[in-house]
Every structure is written in C-alpha cells, then in structure tokens.
Amino acid sequence: MAELVNSGHTIHFETELQPLKTFLEDAKYSKIFVFADINTSAHCLPVFQAMLDDFSTFDVIETDPGEENKNIDFCIGIWKTLLDFEADRKALMINLGGGVITDMGGFVASTYKRGIDFINIPTTLLAQVDASVGGKTGIDIDNIKNMIGTFSLPQAVFIESAFLKTVPERELLSGFAEMIKHGLIIDKDYYEALKTSDYKNISPELVYQSVAIKNKVVTEDPLEKGLRKILNFGHTIGHAVESNSLSKDKKPLTHGEAIAIGMICEGWLSHKNSNLTRAELEDLTAFIKVTYPQYTIKSKDFKGIQELLKSDKKNEHGQILFSLLESIGQCEYNCKVSDQDVIESLNYYNSVYDI
Amino acid sequence: MAELVNSGHTIHFETELQPLKTFLEDAKYSKIFVFADINTSAHCLPVFQAMLDDFSTFDVIETDPGEENKNIDFCIGIWKTLLDFEADRKALMINLGGGVITDMGGFVASTYKRGIDFINIPTTLLAQVDASVGGKTGIDIDNIKNMIGTFSLPQAVFIESAFLKTVPERELLSGFAEMIKHGLIIDKDYYEALKTSDYKNISPELVYQSVAIKNKVVTEDPLEKGLRKILNFGHTIGHAVESNSLSKDKKPLTHGEAIAIGMICEGWLSHKNSNLTRAELEDLTAFIKVTYPQYTIKSKDFKGIQELLKSDKKNEHGQILFSLLESIGQCEYNCKVSDQDVIESLNYYNSVYDI
Ligand SMILES: NC(=O)c1ccc[n+]([C@@H]2O[C@H](COP(=O)([O-])OP(=O)(O)OC[C@H]3O[C@@H](n4cnc5c(N)ncnc54)[C@H](O)[C@@H]3O)[C@@H](O)[C@H]2O)c1
Ligand SMILES: NC(=O)c1ccc[n+]([C@@H]2O[C@H](COP(=O)([O-])OP(=O)(O)OC[C@H]3O[C@@H](n4cnc5c(N)ncnc54)[C@H](O)[C@@H]3O)[C@@H](O)[C@H]2O)c1
Ligand SMILES: [Zn+2]
Ligand SMILES: [Zn+2]
C-alpha cells in the first residue's frame, strides 16, 4: 500500500515493518526502547517482534493502561527509567500502543534531553486514524486532557492492520467516530463509503484514506493556527459530554461515543448556524444513531456541560468557537454559537432516540 | 544600542523595554504572566514596572530561587497556576530572572497547552550572556541538570544593564566566566578586551558582544548537531567539578567558578591534544587565576569526577567528547581524550595555585 510523506517523516502502511528494519540499520541508534502498556505489551509486542524477526535488541518500558495514567507522574517515571538505562541523545523510543502511549511516549521523548527521536506504531483504530498523525504529544493534568504537551513529529509512523485484531469492539467503535468525522468535514464520498462498511472489520484502505485526510489537514496547518481547527468538529460539545460522563457515569462513554454525540449536536448547530441542510443533518444523525448505542444527556447536567465548554483548551479570549459543517464534506471554523443554541443542540440529541 | 535578530525573534539591548510596549500593544495577548523568583520579584519587578510605566496589567507567578527549585514539582505548580488563572493559548509569559527562571519558565511555557508565547528578560549576567539566548529550556531531574527540556525560542529577549545593579558580586563573577569562554572559543580580541575590564562593572557593550557571539553560534546550529558544541568548552570537566562540589562542599562552587576551573583543565587538554600553544595556555591560566578564587580539587574526588564525566548529557554512544581550543579564538569539537589526560588536567589545575 502507499505511504504518506509529511514534512520529512513518512507514514508507512501495511509494510509488516520492513522499512523499520532498514531505518534502524541506517540510523545507528545508541539504544532502542519500546514503550508499551501492559495490554499492548501482551498483545502487540509479540506481533512486533515476529515482524522484526528478532532483528534488533531493545528494552521495553511498560506502563499501566488507560487515560488515567496519561499524567506527569508516569512521565517522571519514564524519564527516570531512561536515565537509569543511560539513554543518551542518540536513543530511540518506539511507542507501541494506543493514543495514550503515542501521546505520552511522544511527550517524554520530545522533552528527554531536549528531544530524542521517536517512532509511533499505533495499535488501536483511534490511534491509527487520529492520534498518531499530526505531531501533537500530550498528557493530562488535574484530569484536564492534553493540558501539557508539545508539537513534535515522530521519525516515522507504521500502520498495520495486524495489530487491530485484538482491539476490543468498543474501542474499534470509538476510533470509527474519527473516521466518520474525517468524511463529514472533508470528503463526502469517504463518508458514504463508511456507511456501507463494518467497523468491526475495517479495511486497510479505509484506514489509509482517513489518515490521508488528517495528514492533509495537519500538513497545511501544523500548529493549529487555522484550518486544522476543522478537526475539532464534534469535539467541542463531545469533549464536554465526555468529561461530564467520566465524572458521573458508572460506565463512562468512550471518546468516540462522546464524539458521535458531539457530531449530532454540532450537526444540529451546523444546520442552525451554518449551511448544513435539514436532509444532511438527518442523514448524519441516522448513520450515527444506527452505529452508536443510545445515551441520554441528563438535563440536570446541561449547566455543567456549559461550564466545561467554557474551559475548553481551544477557546481564545474566553470565546467558545465551533467548527461547523457547511455541507457534508465541508467545514468552517471559528464559528460563534449562542448559549441557547448549545442547550437546544443537546435537546436535539436526546430527541433523536425518542422517535 | 543595536539589536540582534535570530530566526525571527529579536534580542533588544538597553531599550528600557520600550519595544516591549509596542509588542504587547500589537500582539493582543489574552493574559500576561510575569514569572519571577522571590529575589527578582523584590529587586527586578519594581524596575520592570517603572520601565513599563504601568503600561499593562499582569499577574505575577512567584517561585523559590535557586537551582534546587528548577525541577518538575515547581513546573507542575506553575502549570496548575496557569490553569487556575484560566490562561489560554493566547496567554504570554514573561520570564523575569536569572537562568533558573528563563530555563524553567521557558519549559513551562513551551509545554503549556502545547506552547504559549514567552519573553525572556534575563536579570543576571550569566542569564544575559548565556541562558537567555539559544532556545534551550530545561529543568533538572534527580539533581541531574537540564535533563528535561525543549528547544523553544522566546518571542523576544530584552537585555538591560539596569537589572544587574542588584546582582551579588559572586553571581557577576559567575557570568563573567561565560564571557571569557566566548572570547576563547571565537574571538581573541574580545578575550583581550575582557582582560582589561572589571566584572563588577561590566559595560553594556561587552555584554552585547558576548550575546552576539553566542547568537551567531546558535543561529548556525540551533539543535546542537555540530558547531554549537564549541560552547561546551570548559563545561565537560567544569560540570563534573561543579556536581562534585555541590555534593561535597559546604559552600559549593558557582557554575561560573566551576567553568573557570574547567577552562583551565580543558585548556591544558587543548595544549596536549589540540594546537593550543604553551604560551596561550599560560595566558588563559594566568587570567583566570587572578580573576577567580583558589580552589582545590581533592585527589580522592578524581574517580568520582571521572564517573560524572561518563554520565554527561552530551556523550554519544558512551564516548566522552570534548571541545578543545586550537588557539585562543578558535575551537574544535568532538575531540576524544584519554582518561589519563583527564586526570592530568585536574592535577594541572591544582598545580597552578602552587606557584
Ligand atoms: N495526538 C493526537 O492528535 C490525538 C488525537 C486523538 C486522540 N488522542 C489521544 O489518544 C488517546 C486515546 O487513544 P486510544 O483510544 O488508542 O486509547 P488507549 O491508548 O488507552 O487504548 C485503549 C485501550 O486499548 C488497549 N489496546 C491498545 N492497543 C491494543 C491492541 N492492539 N489490542 C488490545 N488492546 C489494545 C489499551 O491498553 C487501552 O486499554 C487519548 O488520550 C487522546 O487524547 C491524541
Ligand atoms: N538555556 C541555556 O542555554 C543556559 C545557559 C547557561 C545557563 N543556564 C542555566 O542558568 C541557570 C543559572 O543561571 P543564573 O546564574 O542566572 O541562576 P539564578 O537564576 O539562580 O540566579 C542566581 C541568583 O541571583 C538571584 N537574582 C537574579 N537576578 C537578580 C537581580 N537582578 N538582583 C538580585 N538577585 C538576582 C536569583 O534569585 C538567584 O538567587 C542554571 O540553571 C543553568 O542551567 C541555561
Ligand atoms: Zn477525537
Ligand atoms: Zn555555562
């Protein structure tokens, strides 16, 4: 399959890591570290090793899985481990895992001795189509997502469907939301193709197209000064609903489930405040409704969700700015929306399941 | 006085911060934070405010002074303070202090929400001629210096002799060592000019020349791939002697005092392993000897110093590499030196004070 080149680093698809061998041979790193969590260490490390064919020696740095461990305490632990292993500036870190691993591993690598090289091997659908591309690294602080981080590009990204085989279904569904988003904001044909696909068995070709869309956007605007903001479609309300769910629900929403909700709400806002037609709104609503489980946003939580919106990282000068669809396949950014409309969009989401 | 432009950001000299007013007016930051330690808050903040003439409102973030507080715990504190103050991506951080403040403030700013703008106003001689220029930010971990950091340029640097008036003499002497280094590695005339200067009353012109030298080197090699390593002259042994002193001496060496020692040792190595003549070695030895207080490197500490050398951040593939003088005003880098020569260079330093 093709590869994508993005300001000097390459995203490789379905290569069974063969280019990684050449890369490691040429680059002559002083030490190689594989960073994984206990799940990817169990499920992905054997696949990785088989592909590399015992080609190279490396040390594994293992961490606990999940967003709750994507924090500065774990980073300190990893920095100290690198010190203990006497990692110098010519060391390489290979991040083998989901978005938590690629985000946190990227942050640790980009700050250790002011930056060592790293490679991302995303092992969830979400990390493949979203987290591993675009150079954002980050960790949470006080449970606020990605408050600390850098913009740092990996040396290369390797995307292999082989790793997806062990990913739990609910995690696949989570990543699928970002693919739908990519279609909605940029590519109507891609969106239509997703409608007839099966998220439990996503084809490498669809993954490739999703990465290509994200890569195109971030290459045009690496530091999120403008265009890149369209990637936030569904994420403004989605993030607030996600945080609210994390703090209140026994079984909280995944990121993708929350973004699916956010896309319905912001679809409604797009119809109200931008040019999305009623028919288009109904189309995306129906697709998301058959794909994602029902959820109710409690009206007593509306106020809290509005508070969360106000503290969104992407706000500027205290103003909440939305990315809204002008049509399916076209998105504009920096749109202002009234508080009242936000509430109505939440009501719209709830009403969808009444019918 | 002139200004220096370095890949888009400007170093302003003796402007009484007038360009800062214009800059703040144009840039429209959502919030301005001044980061200081309790000493610079007491001595420099009033000067800063007087220069700015109550021009702008800002919040002050204050920290404890000294290298021992240049660590991740303080960074976490500052990140959380920024969050509490609802600092968004359009916030600005003005680092007002010595190298600890510009290094740590730069690191915090370059990682908060993946990077907000910052400005450096160095208030010690060392920070003016060295720390504030070149885009290195950093903090210590496990007492190992600058293990974590980024390469991030401030929006601008302001160098004002007015701030130096309250700097303790010993701190001035510390910064003076970096100026001597700048002369030794690149500019013989500048080195000669320093010999007839008074470090307690250093002229803005000499500060300017020193910054110009550093700026030239780091502009040619921002990421320390090659040339920039000449700035490490005196620092390989100097750092090891400094760490040794910090862990053993009741009144440890300052950074500059240790670098002065390092320059004598590495001067000796330059004579032994590069082209520095005996006369040149004696010249630099004599200058440093009359300028810096006597110190004895205990022979029982030699082993420990050699261990420290081996863990130097700048080593690659476990090899200690020195920057050595080919003559006064010329320096080469990536020079290998035998363990035996390192020991002899320490003996040479001690012998200097026997005569
Ligand atoms: N940097 C970016 O641009 C960007 C974009 C989107 C999301 N993100 C970040 O990504 C994170 C979410 O990513 P994620 O959903 O991959 O989370 P994750 O890394 O927590 O992975 C989800 C779960 O799946 C497990 N897992 C991973 N790969 C597996 C495999 N092959 N087989 C079995 N189990 C496996 C993990 O251990 C974890 O328990 C968030 O922290 C988010 O902020 C970053
Ligand atoms: N980034 C770089 O390229 C670079 C280069 C050299 C040094 N550094 C770093 O710089 C640090 C050392 O810098 P430093 O010597 O300025 O240390 P410092 O910031 O600790 O300042 C020394 C002391 O002087 C006080 N002080 C500062 N300004 C004052 C003023 N105007 N009046 C009175 N007191 C004042 C401080 O509070 C402190 O107690 C080290 O951490 C070192 O790693 C960085
Ligand atoms: Zn997302
Ligand atoms: Zn120094």
Side-chain angles (χ1 to χ4, degrees):
Chain A
M1 195 176 272
E3 55 185 38
L4 289 166
V5 179
N6 172 343
S7 36
H9 87 297
T10 303
I11 309 170
H12 302 272
F13 293 85
E14 306 295 329
T15 59
E16 303 205 318
L17 303 184
Q18 294 312 303
L20 181 56
K21 286 190 187 182
T22 327
F23 176 80
L24 294 179
E25 221 159 35
D26 294 350
K28 305 223 182 314
Y29 287 102
S30 58
K31 265 190 181 135
I32 299 172
F33 296 90
V34 174
F35 178 50
D37 66 31
I38 53 175
N39 295 329
T40 61
S41 177
H43 297 300
C44 304
L45 202 55
V47 181
F48 172 81
Q49 272 169 310
M51 283 179 177
L52 275 195
D53 206 13
D54 293 325
F55 166 77
S56 185
T57 54
F58 50 81
D59 292 301
V60 178
I61 301 181
E62 219 179 79
T63 183
D64 293 341
E67 187 72 28
E68 63 273 26
N69 297 310
K70 193 176 133 181
N71 59 37
I72 193 72
D73 294 330
F74 272 87
C75 291
I76 296 172
I78 308 162
W79 283 325
K80 290 190 180 180
T81 307
L82 289 171
L83 273 178
D84 287 345
F85 277 106
E86 298 180 345
D88 64 22
R89 286 184 176 170
K90 296 266 157 133
L92 174 74
M93 186 136 152
I94 299 179
N95 300 316
L96 181 70
V100 165
I101 292 299
T102 54
D103 271 18
M104 182 156 66
F107 178 66
V108 164
S110 69
T111 52
Y112 181 74
K113 301 199 178 188
R114 297 200 188 91
I116 59 172
D117 284 356
F118 64 100
I119 280 178
N120 282 344
I121 307 184
T123 61
T124 64
L125 186 57
L126 187 99
Q128 292 192 347
V129 299
D130 194 354
S132 70
V133 186
K136 283 188 180 179
T137 77
I139 54 164
D140 309 337
I141 205 154
D142 275 351
N143 290 319
I144 311 179
K145 280 188 74 169
N146 302 321
M147 272 299 127
I148 308 303
T150 58
F151 283 101
S152 307
L153 286 175
Q155 296 298 304
V157 179
F158 291 87
I159 294 186
E160 299 289 332
S161 54
F163 292 117
L164 298 183
K165 288 184 188 133
T166 52
V167 174
E169 255 181 41
R170 200 171 166 217
E171 296 295 341
L172 293 174
L173 185 58
S174 181
F176 193 59
E178 307 289 355
M179 300 172 77
I180 297 175
K181 179 191 75 181
H182 288 152
L184 285 173
I185 59 174
I186 282 222
D187 189 336
K188 186 170 163 40
D189 290 345
Y190 182 61
Y191 167 79
E192 294 297 338
L194 291 176
K195 279 194 195 163
T196 58
S197 75
D198 170 14
Y199 74 84
K200 295 186 214 82
N201 249 309
I202 212 76
S203 75
E205 178 57 31
L206 287 175
V207 170
Y208 172 80
Q209 281 180 268
S210 206
V211 176
I213 290 171
K214 171 140 192 199
N215 189 52
K216 186 173 159 241
V217 174
V218 300
T219 305
E220 277 185 45
D221 176 22
L223 299 181
E224 202 162 24
K225 303 286 182 199
L227 179 71
R228 186 168 180 160
K229 294 180 186 173
I230 65 174
L231 295 170
N232 296 330
F233 175 68
H235 278 66
T236 309
I237 292 184
H239 269 152
V241 168
E242 184 181 9
S243 302
N244 180 66
S245 168
L246 279 172
S247 68
K248 307 243 162 107
D249 298 341
K250 262 195 218 118
K251 191 186 162 210
L253 293 166
T254 63
H255 176 68
E257 286 163 356
I259 295 317
I261 294 168
M263 289 193 289
I264 289 180
C265 296
E266 295 179 22
W268 186 89
L269 291 174
S270 301
H271 174 54
K272 178 85 195 289
N273 294 280
S274 182
N275 297 317
L276 194 75
T277 65
R278 185 81 213 176
E280 288 175 310
L281 171 61
E282 282 170 7
D283 189 284
L284 78 83
T285 304
F287 179 27
I288 294 173
K289 186 177 163 179
V290 299
T291 314
Y292 287 84
Q294 174 168 8
Y295 181 80
T296 306
I297 311 170
K298 300 202 183 75
S299 49
K300 71 173 162 62
D301 289 345
F302 284 11
K303 264 234 117 55
I305 288 172
Q306 274 191 313
E307 287 304 310
L308 285 163
L309 281 177
K310 298 218 164 93
S311 68
D312 192 289
K313 178 165 73 268
K314 281 139 193 154
N315 295 345
E316 287 173 10
H317 300 279
Q319 174 71 53
I320 309 170
L321 297 172
F322 285 82
S323 299
L324 297 181
L325 300 178
E326 296 169 86
S327 66
I328 287 182
Q330 248 192 312
C331 188
E332 55 178 349
Y333 53 91
N334 288 351
C335 307
K336 292 180 195 172
V337 159
S338 71
D339 285 2
Q340 186 51 35
D341 278 353
V342 168
I343 297 295
E344 283 193 39
S345 80
L346 300 174
N347 280 323
Y348 171 74
Y349 172 77
N350 283 335
S351 76
V352 163
Y353 288 89
D354 292 345
I355 310 154
Chain B
M1 195 178 270
E3 54 184 39
L4 290 165
V5 180
N6 172 343
S7 32
H9 87 296
T10 304
I11 308 170
H12 302 272
F13 293 85
E14 305 296 328
T15 58
E16 302 205 316
L17 303 184
Q18 293 313 304
L20 181 55
K21 287 191 188 182
T22 327
F23 176 80
L24 294 179
E25 222 160 33
D26 294 350
K28 307 222 181 311
Y29 287 102
S30 59
K31 267 191 180 135
I32 300 172
F33 297 90
V34 174
F35 178 50
D37 66 31
I38 52 172
N39 296 329
T40 61
S41 179
H43 296 301
C44 305
L45 202 55
V47 181
F48 172 81
Q49 272 169 309
M51 283 178 176
L52 275 196
D53 206 13
D54 293 324
F55 166 76
S56 185
T57 54
F58 49 81
D59 291 302
V60 177
I61 301 181
E62 218 180 78
T63 181
D64 293 341
E67 188 72 27
E68 64 273 27
N69 298 310
K70 194 177 131 180
N71 60 38
I72 193 71
D73 293 330
F74 272 87
C75 292
I76 295 172
I78 309 163
W79 283 324
K80 290 190 179 178
T81 306
L82 289 170
L83 274 178
D84 288 345
F85 277 105
E86 298 181 345
D88 64 22
R89 285 183 179 171
K90 296 267 157 130
L92 173 75
M93 186 136 152
I94 299 179
N95 299 316
L96 181 70
V100 165
I101 292 299
T102 54
D103 272 20
M104 182 156 65
F107 178 66
V108 164
S110 69
T111 51
Y112 181 73
K113 301 200 181 188
R114 299 200 187 92
I116 59 172
D117 284 354
F118 65 101
I119 280 178
N120 283 343
I121 307 185
T123 61
T124 64
L125 185 58
L126 186 99
Q128 292 192 347
V129 299
D130 194 354
S132 69
V133 186
K136 282 188 180 178
T137 77
I139 54 164
D140 309 337
I141 206 156
D142 276 350
N143 289 319
I144 312 178
K145 280 188 73 170
N146 302 322
M147 272 299 127
I148 307 304
T150 58
F151 283 101
S152 306
L153 286 176
Q155 296 299 305
V157 178
F158 291 88
I159 295 187
E160 301 289 333
S161 55
F163 292 116
L164 297 183
K165 287 184 190 135
T166 51
V167 174
E169 255 180 41
R170 201 171 165 217
E171 296 295 341
L172 292 173
L173 185 58
S174 181
F176 193 60
E178 306 289 356
M179 300 172 76
I180 298 175
K181 180 192 77 181
H182 288 152
L184 286 172
I185 61 175
I186 282 221
D187 189 336
K188 186 171 163 40
D189 290 344
Y190 182 62
Y191 167 78
E192 295 297 338
L194 290 175
K195 279 195 196 163
T196 58
S197 74
D198 170 15
Y199 73 84
K200 295 186 214 83
N201 249 308
I202 212 76
S203 74
E205 178 56 33
L206 287 174
V207 170
Y208 172 80
Q209 281 179 267
S210 207
V211 176
I213 290 171
K214 171 138 191 202
N215 190 52
K216 186 173 158 238
V217 174
V218 299
T219 305
E220 277 184 46
D221 176 23
L223 299 180
E224 201 163 26
K225 302 287 181 199
L227 179 70
R228 186 168 181 160
K229 295 181 186 172
I230 66 174
L231 294 169
N232 296 329
F233 175 67
H235 278 66
T236 311
I237 292 185
H239 268 152
V241 168
E242 184 182 7
S243 302
N244 181 65
S245 168
L246 278 172
S247 69
K248 305 243 162 107
D249 298 340
K250 260 193 220 122
K251 191 187 161 209
L253 294 166
T254 63
H255 176 67
E257 286 163 355
I259 296 316
I261 294 168
M263 288 193 288
I264 289 181
C265 297
E266 295 179 22
W268 185 88
L269 292 174
S270 301
H271 174 55
K272 178 86 194 290
N273 293 280
S274 181
N275 297 318
L276 194 75
T277 65
R278 185 81 213 173
E280 288 174 310
L281 171 62
E282 282 170 7
D283 189 282
L284 77 84
T285 304
F287 179 27
I288 294 173
K289 186 176 163 180
V290 299
T291 313
Y292 287 84
Q294 174 167 8
Y295 181 80
T296 306
I297 311 170
K298 300 202 183 74
S299 50
K300 70 173 164 56
D301 289 344
F302 284 12
K303 264 234 118 55
I305 288 171
Q306 274 192 313
E307 288 305 310
L308 285 163
L309 281 177
K310 297 216 164 94
S311 67
D312 192 290
K313 177 166 70 268
K314 280 137 195 156
N315 295 344
E316 287 174 9
H317 299 279
Q319 174 72 54
I320 309 170
L321 296 172
F322 285 82
S323 299
L324 297 181
L325 300 178
E326 297 169 87
S327 66
I328 288 181
Q330 247 191 311
C331 189
E332 55 179 350
Y333 54 90
N334 286 351
C335 307
K336 293 181 193 171
V337 158
S338 72
D339 285 1
Q340 185 52 34
D341 279 352
V342 167
I343 296 296
E344 283 193 40
S345 79
L346 299 174
N347 280 322
Y348 170 73
Y349 172 78
N350 283 334
S351 76
V352 164
Y353 288 89
D354 293 345
I355 310 152

CSV table of all heavy atoms in Angstrom, one decimal, chain B residues 265-281:
chain,number,residue,atom,x,y,z
B,265,CYS,N,41.5,23.3,33.0
B,265,CYS,CA,41.7,21.9,32.7
B,265,CYS,C,41.6,21.6,31.2
B,265,CYS,O,42.5,21.0,30.6
B,265,CYS,CB,40.7,21.0,33.4
B,265,CYS,SG,40.8,21.1,35.2
B,266,GLU,N,40.6,22.1,30.6
B,266,GLU,CA,40.4,21.8,29.1
B,266,GLU,C,41.4,22.7,28.3
B,266,GLU,O,41.7,22.3,27.2
B,266,GLU,CB,38.9,22.0,28.8
B,266,GLU,CG,38.1,21.0,29.5
B,266,GLU,CD,36.6,21.1,29.2
B,266,GLU,OE1,36.2,21.7,28.1
B,266,GLU,OE2,35.8,20.6,30.0
B,267,GLY,N,41.9,23.8,28.9
B,267,GLY,CA,43.0,24.5,28.2
B,267,GLY,C,44.2,23.6,28.2
B,267,GLY,O,44.9,23.4,27.1
B,268,TRP,N,44.5,22.9,29.3
B,268,TRP,CA,45.6,22.0,29.3
B,268,TRP,C,45.4,20.9,28.3
B,268,TRP,O,46.3,20.5,27.6
B,268,TRP,CB,45.7,21.4,30.8
B,268,TRP,CG,47.0,20.6,30.9
B,268,TRP,CD1,48.2,21.0,31.2
B,268,TRP,CD2,47.1,19.2,30.7
B,268,TRP,NE1,49.1,19.9,31.2
B,268,TRP,CE2,48.4,18.8,30.9
B,268,TRP,CE3,46.1,18.2,30.3
B,268,TRP,CZ2,48.9,17.5,30.7
B,268,TRP,CZ3,46.6,16.9,30.1
B,268,TRP,CH2,47.9,16.5,30.4
B,269,LEU,N,44.1,20.3,28.3
B,269,LEU,CA,43.9,19.3,27.3
B,269,LEU,C,44.0,19.8,25.9
B,269,LEU,O,44.4,19.0,25.0
B,269,LEU,CB,42.4,18.7,27.5
B,269,LEU,CG,42.2,18.0,28.8
B,269,LEU,CD1,40.7,17.6,28.9
B,269,LEU,CD2,43.0,16.7,28.8
B,270,SER,N,43.7,21.1,25.7
B,270,SER,CA,43.8,21.6,24.3
B,270,SER,C,45.3,21.7,23.9
B,270,SER,O,45.6,21.5,22.7
B,270,SER,CB,43.2,23.1,24.3
B,270,SER,OG,41.9,23.0,24.7
B,271,HIS,N,46.1,22.0,24.9
B,271,HIS,CA,47.6,22.1,24.6
B,271,HIS,C,48.1,20.7,24.3
B,271,HIS,O,48.8,20.5,23.4
B,271,HIS,CB,48.3,22.7,25.8
B,271,HIS,CG,49.8,22.7,25.7
B,271,HIS,ND1,50.5,23.2,24.6
B,271,HIS,CD2,50.7,22.2,26.5
B,271,HIS,CE1,51.8,23.0,24.7
B,271,HIS,NE2,52.0,22.4,25.9
B,272,LYS,N,47.6,19.7,25.1
B,272,LYS,CA,48.1,18.3,25.0
B,272,LYS,C,47.5,17.7,23.7
B,272,LYS,O,48.3,17.0,23.0
B,272,LYS,CB,47.6,17.5,26.2
B,272,LYS,CG,48.0,16.1,26.2
B,272,LYS,CD,49.4,15.8,26.7
B,272,LYS,CE,49.9,14.4,26.4
B,272,LYS,NZ,49.2,13.3,27.1
B,273,ASN,N,46.2,17.9,23.4
B,273,ASN,CA,45.6,17.1,22.3
B,273,ASN,C,45.2,18.0,21.1
B,273,ASN,O,44.7,17.4,20.1
B,273,ASN,CB,44.3,16.5,22.9
B,273,ASN,CG,44.6,15.4,23.9
B,273,ASN,OD1,45.0,14.3,23.6
B,273,ASN,ND2,44.5,15.7,25.2
B,274,SER,N,45.3,19.3,21.2
B,274,SER,CA,45.0,20.1,20.0
B,274,SER,C,46.1,21.1,19.8
B,274,SER,O,47.3,20.8,20.3
B,274,SER,CB,43.6,20.8,20.2
B,274,SER,OG,43.3,21.6,19.1
B,275,ASN,N,45.9,22.2,19.2
B,275,ASN,CA,47.0,23.0,18.9
B,275,ASN,C,47.3,24.2,19.8
B,275,ASN,O,48.1,25.1,19.4
B,275,ASN,CB,46.9,23.5,17.4
B,275,ASN,CG,46.9,22.4,16.4
B,275,ASN,OD1,47.7,21.4,16.6
B,275,ASN,ND2,46.0,22.4,15.5
B,276,LEU,N,46.6,24.3,20.9
B,276,LEU,CA,46.9,25.5,21.8
B,276,LEU,C,48.3,25.5,22.2
B,276,LEU,O,48.8,24.5,22.7
B,276,LEU,CB,45.9,25.4,23.0
B,276,LEU,CG,45.8,26.7,23.8
B,276,LEU,CD1,45.0,27.7,23.1
B,276,LEU,CD2,45.3,26.4,25.2
B,277,THR,N,49.0,26.6,22.1
B,277,THR,CA,50.4,26.7,22.4
B,277,THR,C,50.6,26.8,23.9
B,277,THR,O,49.6,27.1,24.7
B,277,THR,CB,51.1,27.9,21.8
B,277,THR,OG1,50.6,29.1,22.4
B,277,THR,CG2,51.0,27.9,20.3
B,278,ARG,N,51.8,26.4,24.4
B,278,ARG,CA,52.1,26.6,25.8
B,278,ARG,C,51.9,28.0,26.3
B,278,ARG,O,51.3,28.3,27.4
B,278,ARG,CB,53.6,26.2,26.1
B,278,ARG,CG,54.0,26.1,27.5
B,278,ARG,CD,53.6,24.8,28.2
B,278,ARG,NE,53.3,25.0,29.6
B,278,ARG,CZ,52.8,24.1,30.4
B,278,ARG,NH1,52.5,22.9,30.0
B,278,ARG,NH2,52.6,24.4,31.7
B,279,ALA,N,52.3,29.0,25.5
B,279,ALA,CA,52.1,30.4,25.8
B,279,ALA,C,50.6,30.8,26.0
B,279,ALA,O,50.2,31.5,26.9
B,279,ALA,CB,52.8,31.3,24.8
B,280,GLU,N,49.8,30.3,25.1
B,280,GLU,CA,48.4,30.5,25.1
B,280,GLU,C,47.8,29.9,26.4
B,280,GLU,O,47.0,30.5,27.1
B,280,GLU,CB,47.7,30.0,23.9
B,280,GLU,CG,48.0,30.9,22.6
B,280,GLU,CD,47.4,30.2,21.4
B,280,GLU,OE1,47.6,29.0,21.1
B,280,GLU,OE2,46.7,31.0,20.6
B,281,LEU,N,48.2,28.7,26.7
B,281,LEU,CA,47.7,28.0,27.9
B,281,LEU,C,48.1,28.8,29.1
B,281,LEU,O,47.2,29.0,30.0
B,281,LEU,CB,48.3,26.6,28.0
B,281,LEU,CG,48.0,25.9,29.3
B,281,LEU,CD1,46.6,25.7,29.6
B,281,LEU,CD2,48.8,24.5,29.3
